[in-house]
Amino acid sequence: MAKITSVSPLAPASFPNLPVIEGVRFASIAAGVRYSGRTDVMLAHLAPGSTVAGVFTRSATRSAPVLDCQAKIGRSGGEGAAIIVNSGNSNAFTGRHGVESVRAVTSAVADLLDLPVHRVFSSSTGVIGEPMKHERIIAKLDELKAELRADAMEDAARAIMTTDTFPKGSTAEVEIDGQTVRIVGIAKGSGMIEPDMGTMLVYIFTDAAVDQPVLQSMVSALNRTTFNCITVDSDTSTSDTLLVGATGASGVRITEHSIGFMEGLRRVMLDLAQQVVRDGEGATKLVEVSVTGAASDADAYVHAKSIANSPLVKTAIAGEDPNWGRVVMAIGKSGARADRDTLAISFGDIKVAENGWVSPDYNEERAAAYMKQPELVIHVDLGLGGGTARVWSCDLTHGYIDINADYRS
Amino acid sequence: MAKITSVSPLAPASFPNLPVIEGVRFASIAAGVRYSGRTDVMLAHLAPGSTVAGVFTRSATRSAPVLDCQAKIGRSGGEGAAIIVNSGNSNAFTGRHGVESVRAVTSAVADLLDLPVHRVFSSSTGVIGEPMKHERIIAKLDELKAELRADAMEDAARAIMTTDTFPKGSTAEVEIDGQTVRIVGIAKGSGMIEPDMGTMLVYIFTDAAVDQPVLQSMVSALNRTTFNCITVDSDTSTSDTLLVGATGASGVRITEHSIGFMEGLRRVMLDLAQQVVRDGEGATKLVEVSVTGAASDADAYVHAKSIANSPLVKTAIAGEDPNWGRVVMAIGKSGARADRDTLAISFGDIKVAENGWVSPDYNEERAAAYMKQPELVIHVDLGLGGGTARVWSCDLTHGYIDINADYRS
C-alpha cells in the first residue's frame, strides 16, 4: 500500500511565526537513523538557569528514553539542559540494548555541551522493537552543535516528524506586570495513534522564570485538559513525551498564582494538541465532543472519550451521516452514569435528541448539511449534574486503513 | 457507498443440519418493518413446561425490548413461552413510543398463543431512534401462527439478519445416563459492532429439562467465556440479547452438576459467538487472542481485549504484517499489570518476543507467511501469575469503513 504523502486537509494554512526564546537554541540534521533524504535528529540547548518539566506516557511498556526522562525530570540545578530527539526508531521494547542507546546518546550530548548527564533528556519516535543505530546520531553531534541557532525551531519541528503530514508549532505572548513573556512549542504525532511509533512528542519553551516544581505542577494540570483530551484511534503510545523548558531570560518570575502565564501555556498546549488531531491518520474532520450535565467531571470524560473513540461514531462522521443513534450507543456502553430519558444530543446548534427520543424539531436535511463542515461539535448533556469535559477527535476513513495496514513494510 | 453483499470469506461452508427440538416450533415472514423482499420477523413457540433463561446488554441506553425481557426473565411458570423478533428497527432510544410498541406486540402474541404476557419475550434489531411500525408485525401474526413448524429454524435465522452475510446456526448432542439431549441455536450479528443496529441476537433451544434458576446460572456463567469474549470493533449494542429455552421434552433432567450438558451448551454458545466474529463487518481474518501468565484472570481479560480491540493491531492483521510492536503497545496501554521484561509473544507457533525484546530465533519471513492464514492465534504470556483469558476478534479493513461510513443512508 502506498504511503500517504499529501498534507492533511485540516492542516493550518502555514507554520506560525515563532518568536525567539532567549536562552534556547536548536539544530537539526540528517543522521540516517532510518530515513534517508530528510532530517531526523534535533537538538535543543537550554542556557544555565533553565528549568524543565515533563509528562510522559503511562504505558506499562514505555520506551527506554521515556524511562530515562522520568528518572531525570525532578532533578533541577543551575546548569543548562539539552533535549536530543530522533525520528525513525522509537527505541521501545529494545531490552538492554535500548538502555545502552539512551546512555550512549545522552552521555555524548552531556560531553558535547558540558552538561551533567541528568540534564540531558532524549526522545525517540519510530518503529518499535528494533535496535537503534545510536552511533549514527553520535557521529553527527559535533555538526549539530555547530548548527545551534535561536531561530531554527521550524526545522526542529520537521526533523521529528514520522507519518505527520505537516510540522506543528504554536506560540503565545503573555503580559505580566507590563512585561512580556513568550511561549513557543513544537509537536509531532497524529494523536495517540501512530503505528509502530513513538506517537506524540511535544517540546515547549518559554523565557519566563519558573521554579521547576511550579512549572511541573502547571504542566501536569494543563495536560489533563489538553493532550490527555485528544484521541485519534484510542491506541496509546509507548513513547508519548511532553517537555517544557523555561529559560528565565525575560527576567519575569512566575508563581503558581500566575493565571495569565498558565492561560498562555494552556493556549499553546491546546493548539498543539488540536494540531496533532488535525494530522490524525486519514483524518478529514476535526470533531469536538463536549459533554455537560454529567454526574461528575470524571464521568463526563469517560462519556466524551467513549464517543470520541467509537469506530461507529467515527465512520459515521467520515460518511457525513448525522447518525446520533451511534452517539446514544457510545454513551450507553461507556460505563459512566447515564439516563436515557434525560439525555440531550446536539450536532453544532442542531438539537437532535432529547427526553429519550429524537427531538421534535429535528430536521435530518439540516443535520446532514452540518455534517459536511470540516470542523464539527457533538454536544451531549446528560441532565444529571454539573460534570463537564471536552475531547477532540477525528473521523475514521479509508486513509487510516491505507496508512496502518502496511506501514512498517 | 455500496452495501456489502458478498458472503464473508470466513463463513462456514454451509448452515449446519439442526435437529428438531421437541417442544419448539418456528415461523418467519416478510412484514416489511423496514426491508422489502425478505423475511424480517420470526416467531418461536415453546411448549408448556419450558424454562427460559437470558442475558442482555449492560448498555445504559438499552432498548425497550431488552428492558421488557429483563423484567420478565426471572418469572417462570408451567405455561408455554414465545419469542418474537424483528429486524430492520431496533426500537432503541424511541421513548414512550418504544415501550408501547413492545407492549402491543407482546400482548398480541400472548393473545395469539394463549400465553400470559410475561412469557412473551421480544427482540428488535436495526436502526436506532426511529419509531417502530409494530402494526406491520401484528398484522402478520395469524399467518405466522399458521406457519409454525419444528424444522423451520434456518429460515428463522435468516429472518433476523441485518448486515450479516450468512445465517448462523449451531448444534450439540449430549449423552446423559444413556439418553440423548439436543441443543440447537441461532444467532445474528457481527459482534458488538453493528451500525445503528441491535447487534447480536442469540436464541438457543434444548429438549433437556432444566429448572429456570439452574439454566440461568449456567447461561450467565458460560456467557462470560463465550459471547463476552468476542469483539469486532469495541462498540457495544443497545440490544444484545441471548435467550435459552429448555422444553424438557427429552425427559432428561439437568442439575447444576451436569458437566456434560454444560459442555454441550458451551460448545454451541462458543460456536455461535465465533460465527458472529467470522461475520464481523469487513472481516478477512479470525483472530484468537490467548493470554496466559497474567496476575489474575481479570487482568488477562483486560489485556486480551486491549489487543483484540486495538485499531493498530487489527489493521496490521489486515495487512498480514507480523507487527508485534503493536501488540506490545496494546499490552502497555491496557491498564492491567504487565512487566515489559517478562513478556513473551507468539504468533501461532512462532515466538516473536521474549525478555523485553525480539526473540533471538525470530524469523520475519516465517512470521509473515503465518500471517497469510485466514485464522490466526496471538499468544501473550505475561510471566506474572496464573491468570488466563481467550478472546476472539477480526481484522479492520476497508470493508468496515465501506459498510459503516454510510450504512444508514
Side-chain angles (χ1 to χ4, degrees):
Chain A
M1 250 167 272
K3 198 106 173 262
I4 305 297
T5 49
S6 61
V7 173
S8 166
L10 303 170
S14 62
F15 193 84
N17 200 356
L18 301 183
V20 162
I21 300 292
E22 207 180 320
V24 200
R25 292 178 304 149
F26 303 90
S28 48
I29 203 159
V33 175
R34 181 185 175 92
Y35 308 124
S36 59
R38 55 158 282 189
T39 58
D40 59 354
V41 176
M42 84 108 178
L43 175 66
H45 178 246
L46 291 92
S50 297
T51 55
V52 180
V55 292
F56 306 93
T57 180
R58 283 180 289 193
S59 169
T61 54
R62 50 195 179 271
S63 69
V66 166
L67 291 167
D68 185 65
C69 280
Q70 288 180 305
K72 292 172 172 174
I73 198 68
R75 298 181 59 183
S76 219
E79 313 91 350
I83 302 172
I84 177 104
V85 185
N86 71 278
S87 53
N89 186 315
S90 74
N91 194 14
F93 212 69
T94 43
R96 270 172 296 113
H97 189 282
V99 176
E100 176 53 30
S101 289
V102 173
R103 201 202 55 72
V105 170
T106 56
S107 300
V109 171
D111 288 348
L112 182 80
L113 300 173
D114 198 19
L115 296 169
V117 71
H118 74 263
R119 295 285 284 172
V120 179
F121 303 94
S122 72
S123 307
S124 297
T125 176
V127 177
I128 292 176
E130 294 185 9
M132 192 164 84
K133 303 194 175 81
H134 60 258
E135 62 284 359
R136 296 187 181 180
I137 300 172
I138 292 170
K140 294 285 184 178
L141 289 181
D142 285 330
E143 273 182 79
L144 268 172
K145 182 181 176 185
E147 294 279 332
L148 283 166
R149 288 198 342 254
D151 62 352
M153 201 168 182
E154 181 173 347
D155 288 341
R158 291 185 189 280
I160 61 176
M161 288 166 62
T162 52
T163 57
D164 304 61
T165 72
F166 61 89
K168 297 161 191 73
S170 182
T171 183
E173 278 195 3
V174 184
E175 295 291 319
I176 291 171
D177 299 333
Q179 287 183 285
T180 301
V181 162
R182 289 155 208 89
I183 304 169
V184 299
I186 57 173
K188 66 87 40 178
S190 310
M192 287 165 279
I193 84 149
E194 294 200 20
D196 265 341
M197 304 198 319
T199 302
M200 201 186 68
L201 304 178
V202 185
Y203 307 97
I204 296 175
F205 303 93
T206 175
D207 53 10
V210 200
D211 288 343
Q212 204 278 342
V214 172
L215 188 60
Q216 183 65 48
S217 84
M218 282 184 176
V219 170
S220 297
L222 293 172
N223 181 59
R224 283 198 287 276
T225 57
T226 56
F227 293 104
N228 275 5
C229 283
I230 62 172
T231 180
V232 171
D233 64 358
S234 79
D235 274 345
T236 305
S237 157
T238 51
S239 310
D240 292 334
T241 293
L242 161 61
L243 287 170
V244 181
T247 66
S250 68
V252 180
R253 180 140 296 278
I254 300 299
T255 69
E256 61 267 47
H257 309 300
S258 297
I259 302 296
F261 177 78
M262 261 193 94
E263 178 53 23
L265 184 57
R266 192 190 72 80
R267 284 207 310 273
V268 169
M269 287 172 68
L270 186 60
D271 183 17
L272 290 173
Q274 291 184 353
Q275 286 190 50
V276 169
V277 180
R278 285 175 183 277
D279 208 6
E281 289 173 335
T284 68
K285 306 273 188 190
L286 175 69
V287 186
E288 175 177 311
V289 179
S290 167
V291 174
T292 56
S296 65
D297 286 351
D299 267 20
Y301 182 74
V302 169
H303 283 303
K305 273 292 188 74
S306 181
I307 297 164
N309 278 327
S310 160
L312 292 175
V313 171
K314 291 159 71 78
T315 47
I317 292 166
E320 301 184 334
D321 177 9
N323 195 320
W324 56 271
R326 297 186 187 176
V327 177
V328 171
M329 176 282 301
I331 294 163
K333 76 163 183 168
S334 81
R337 241 185 93 196
D339 180 335
R340 194 188 51 185
D341 297 332
T342 60
L343 261 183
I345 301 171
S346 301
F347 289 170
D349 291 335
I350 303 164
K351 170 86 62 110
V352 294
E354 59 192 324
N355 301 321
W357 205 6
V358 64
S359 169
D361 303 328
Y362 178 63
N363 176 312
E364 175 95 6
E365 286 67 39
R366 262 191 78 212
Y370 176 72
M371 297 303 286
K372 296 193 184 303
Q373 315 282 330
E375 302 190 13
L376 302 170
V377 176
I378 298 175
H379 177 232
V380 172
D381 189 279
L382 276 302
L384 296 175
T388 65
R390 275 199 305 172
V391 161
W392 292 271
S393 185
C394 60
D395 53 346
L396 173 56
T397 68
H398 286 292
Y400 182 83
I401 309 283
D402 281 335
I403 296 168
N404 288 304
D406 204 21
Y407 164 71
R408 207 180 50 165
S409 314
Chain B
M1 252 167 272
K3 198 104 171 266
I4 304 298
T5 50
S6 62
V7 172
S8 165
L10 303 170
S14 62
F15 194 82
N17 200 357
L18 300 183
V20 161
I21 300 292
E22 208 180 318
V24 200
R25 293 178 304 150
F26 302 90
S28 48
I29 204 159
V33 175
R34 179 184 176 92
Y35 307 124
S36 59
R38 54 156 284 186
T39 58
D40 60 353
V41 176
M42 85 107 180
L43 175 66
H45 178 245
L46 290 92
S50 297
T51 54
V52 180
V55 291
F56 306 93
T57 180
R58 285 180 287 194
S59 169
T61 54
R62 51 194 178 270
S63 69
V66 166
L67 291 166
D68 185 65
C69 280
Q70 287 180 306
K72 292 171 173 175
I73 196 69
R75 297 180 59 184
S76 219
E79 314 92 348
I83 302 171
I84 178 105
V85 185
N86 72 277
S87 53
N89 186 314
S90 73
N91 194 14
F93 212 72
T94 44
R96 270 173 297 110
H97 187 282
V99 176
E100 176 53 32
S101 289
V102 173
R103 201 201 55 72
V105 171
T106 57
S107 299
V109 172
D111 289 348
L112 181 81
L113 300 172
D114 198 20
L115 295 169
V117 72
H118 74 263
R119 294 285 284 172
V120 180
F121 304 93
S122 71
S123 307
S124 298
T125 176
V127 176
I128 292 175
E130 294 185 9
M132 192 162 85
K133 304 192 172 84
H134 60 256
E135 63 284 358
R136 296 188 181 179
I137 299 172
I138 292 169
K140 294 285 185 177
L141 289 181
D142 285 330
E143 274 182 78
L144 268 172
K145 182 181 176 185
E147 294 279 335
L148 282 167
R149 288 196 346 251
D151 61 351
M153 200 167 183
E154 180 172 347
D155 288 342
R158 290 185 191 280
I160 62 176
M161 288 166 61
T162 52
T163 57
D164 303 61
T165 72
F166 62 89
K168 295 159 193 74
S170 182
T171 182
E173 277 194 5
V174 184
E175 295 291 319
I176 292 170
D177 301 333
Q179 288 183 286
T180 301
V181 163
R182 289 156 209 87
I183 305 170
V184 300
I186 56 173
K188 66 85 42 176
S190 310
M192 287 165 280
I193 86 150
E194 294 200 19
D196 264 343
M197 305 198 319
T199 302
M200 201 187 67
L201 304 178
V202 185
Y203 307 98
I204 296 175
F205 303 94
T206 175
D207 53 9
V210 200
D211 288 344
Q212 203 278 339
V214 172
L215 189 60
Q216 184 64 51
S217 83
M218 281 185 178
V219 170
S220 297
L222 292 172
N223 182 58
R224 283 197 287 276
T225 57
T226 56
F227 293 105
N228 275 5
C229 284
I230 61 173
T231 180
V232 171
D233 65 356
S234 79
D235 273 346
T236 304
S237 158
T238 51
S239 309
D240 292 333
T241 292
L242 159 63
L243 287 170
V244 182
T247 67
S250 67
V252 180
R253 179 141 298 277
I254 299 299
T255 69
E256 61 267 47
H257 309 299
S258 296
I259 303 297
F261 177 78
M262 261 193 94
E263 177 53 24
L265 184 56
R266 191 190 70 81
R267 285 208 308 273
V268 169
M269 288 171 68
L270 186 59
D271 184 17
L272 290 172
Q274 291 183 354
Q275 286 189 50
V276 169
V277 181
R278 285 174 183 279
D279 210 5
E281 288 172 335
T284 68
K285 308 272 187 189
L286 175 68
V287 186
E288 176 178 311
V289 179
S290 168
V291 174
T292 57
S296 66
D297 286 351
D299 267 19
Y301 183 74
V302 169
H303 282 303
K305 275 292 188 73
S306 180
I307 297 165
N309 279 327
S310 159
L312 291 177
V313 171
K314 291 159 72 81
T315 47
I317 292 166
E320 301 184 334
D321 176 9
N323 195 321
W324 56 270
R326 296 184 188 175
V327 176
V328 171
M329 176 282 300
I331 295 163
K333 78 165 181 167
S334 80
R337 241 187 90 197
D339 180 334
R340 195 188 51 185
D341 297 332
T342 61
L343 262 183
I345 301 170
S346 301
F347 289 170
D349 292 335
I350 302 165
K351 170 86 63 105
V352 293
E354 58 191 327
N355 301 321
W357 204 9
V358 63
S359 170
D361 303 329
Y362 178 63
N363 176 311
E364 176 95 5
E365 286 67 41
R366 264 190 76 211
Y370 175 73
M371 299 302 287
K372 297 194 183 301
Q373 315 282 329
E375 302 191 11
L376 302 171
V377 176
I378 297 176
H379 177 233
V380 172
D381 190 278
L382 276 301
L384 297 175
T388 65
R390 275 199 303 172
V391 161
W392 292 271
S393 184
C394 60
D395 53 345
L396 173 56
T397 69
H398 286 293
Y400 182 84
I401 309 283
D402 281 336
I403 297 167
N404 288 304
D406 204 22
Y407 164 72
R408 205 180 54 167
S409 311

Coordinates of all heavy atoms in Angstrom, one line a residue, chain A residues 53 125 147 177 217 227 319:
Chain A
A53 N 10.2 20.8 32.9 CA 9.1 19.9 33.5 C 8.7 19.0 32.4 O 8.9 19.3 31.2 CB 8.0 20.8 34.0
T125 N 11.3 8.3 18.3 CA 10.0 8.0 17.7 C 10.1 7.3 16.4 O 10.9 7.7 15.6 CB 9.2 9.3 17.6 OG1 7.9 9.0 16.9 CG2 9.9 10.4 16.7
E147 N 25.6 23.9 14.5 CA 24.4 24.5 13.8 C 23.5 25.2 14.8 O 22.4 25.7 14.4 CB 23.6 23.3 13.2 CG 24.3 22.7 12.0 CD 24.2 23.5 10.7 OE1 23.2 24.2 10.6 OE2 25.1 23.4 9.9
D177 N 2.6 42.2 34.6 CA 3.1 43.4 35.2 C 3.8 44.3 34.1 O 4.9 44.8 34.4 CB 4.1 43.1 36.4 CG 3.4 42.3 37.4 OD1 2.2 42.4 37.6 OD2 4.1 41.5 38.1
S217 N 4.0 21.4 38.1 CA 2.6 21.2 38.6 C 1.6 21.9 37.6 O 0.5 21.4 37.3 CB 2.4 21.7 40.0 OG 2.2 23.1 40.0
F227 N -3.5 17.7 26.1 CA -3.1 16.4 25.4 C -3.8 15.2 25.9 O -4.1 14.3 25.1 CB -1.6 16.3 25.6 CG -0.8 17.3 24.9 CD1 -0.2 18.4 25.6 CD2 -0.7 17.3 23.5 CE1 0.4 19.4 24.9 CE2 -0.1 18.3 22.8 CZ 0.5 19.4 23.5
G319 N -18.6 9.5 6.9 CA -19.7 9.4 5.9 C -20.6 10.6 5.9 O -21.6 10.6 5.2

